[in-house]
Amino acid sequence: VPGDDIIGFITKGYGVSVHRRDCPNAKNACDPEQRGRWVQVRWAELPEATFATELALEADDRDGLMLDIATVLTSLRVRITEMTARSLPGGVGILNVSFPVHNLTELDNIRARLRGISGVVEVRRGSN
């Protein structure tokens, strides 16, 4: 997502692979043996482009939780591409929601609004 701190890795035969700096795949960026393969990259100016992202929410498991999340995202004009939920022991619900965003500012606004939903304990970036 534009605004994320990113780094590029020169792959063998596949060009440059771009990772968030906090990505587990980028943890070897300081490895002296791989030093020449990590390169600086930056976001292009593409104001209309969108980027797939995923958020994982942990919340108190309750009736209407998915509806509340969908309502908040709809009010923000977010197009949900996937949404899953599962109940864990102890009354905890884990929800994953995927959607496109334009930039990190938009994503941070969405995260803040989701944190305001009753019972939501944590909202973190997913694997996308």
Side-chain angles (χ1 to χ4, degrees):
V1 174
D4 279 339
D5 190 14
I6 56 176
I7 189 167
F9 182 75
I10 301 170
T11 65
K12 294 181 180 178
Y14 296 101
V16 176
S17 174
V18 178
H19 300 271
R20 287 193 333 239
R21 285 202 185 258
D22 63 352
C23 170
N25 293 327
K27 67 182 176 197
N28 295 328
C30 297
D31 181 356
E33 291 182 24
Q34 302 290 329
R35 195 161 115 189
R37 297 181 70 188
W38 289 98
V39 294
Q40 289 184 350
V41 294
R42 64 181 172 83
W43 289 101
E45 298 288 329
L46 300 169
E48 297 303 316
T50 59
F51 299 84
T53 192
E54 179 181 317
L55 292 177
L57 291 82
E58 180 180 331
D60 298 333
D61 193 9
R62 63 172 174 79
D63 290 341
L65 180 60
M66 283 187 75
L67 177 60
D68 289 349
I69 292 168
T71 300
V72 165
L73 293 174
T74 300
S75 75
L76 293 170
R77 304 180 76 77
V78 172
R79 186 176 57 84
I80 300 167
T81 56
E82 184 176 0
M83 188 171 183
T84 61
R86 66 184 188 279
S87 294
L88 299 178
V92 175
I94 302 294
L95 296 96
N96 294 295
V97 61
S98 300
F99 51 89
V101 294
H102 291 97
N103 54 49
L104 194 56
T105 302
E106 181 182 14
L107 181 59
D108 287 343
N109 182 49
I110 292 166
R111 290 176 72 181
R113 291 284 302 274
L114 291 172
R115 283 189 198 101
I117 295 172
S118 175
V120 172
V121 176
E122 181 180 13
V123 179
R124 65 182 178 281
R125 294 282 294 268
S127 58
N128 278 1

